[in-house]
Every structure is written in C-alpha cells, then in structure tokens.
Amino acid sequence: MPTDITTRVVETVRDVAGEDGWCSRAQVDSLMGATTVDKREVDRALRRAVAEGRLEKAGDRYRPPA
C-alpha cells in the first residue's frame, strides 16, 4: 500500500533531523525533490503535518514532536 506524501515527509524529517532534532525546509525540499515530489506538494504536506501535530515548526525548521 503506498504511503501518502505527508507520511513520507514526516518520515524524511525523522530520518534526517540533526543532533538538535530539527530538519531545515531546504533539506526537506532537496530530499523530497530527489523522489520527484513537487515542492508545492511538499509545502502542503508540511502544513498538514504541523496542523495534525505530526511535526513541530520553528521558522523554516521542522521536527517530530518531543
């Protein structure tokens, strides 16, 4: 069963978050772009993940909730 883009974005953030637990928007764009996901889709997925509480946002950085 294919996963939705929001789930893929959340998993990507978890996988690449630095020592401080944060992942920059540029990192997300780069990694998701490598999988041919359009930046607009990534933007929608990030907004949805934050709204659903699956990610936290600070400026242009994201992390899984503590």
Side-chain angles (χ1 to χ4, degrees):
M1 180 168 118
T3 56
D4 64 70
I5 293 171
T6 303
T7 299
R8 289 173 53 198
V9 167
V10 170
E11 290 170 353
T12 297
V13 170
R14 285 187 181 136
D15 290 346
V16 301
E19 287 182 16
D20 62 356
W22 292 94
C23 178
S24 73
R25 172 63 192 262
Q27 287 175 297
V28 176
D29 283 341
S30 177
L31 292 166
M32 295 308 294
T35 62
T36 68
V37 176
D38 183 87
K39 286 185 180 187
R40 289 175 294 182
E41 292 177 273
V42 172
D43 187 51
R44 283 190 294 268
L46 286 168
R47 285 195 314 257
R48 181 176 176 184
V50 169
E52 292 174 352
R54 296 165 66 184
L55 290 176
E56 295 176 355
K57 179 181 179 188
D60 71 339
R61 301 183 322 152
Y62 297 86
R63 72 174 179 191

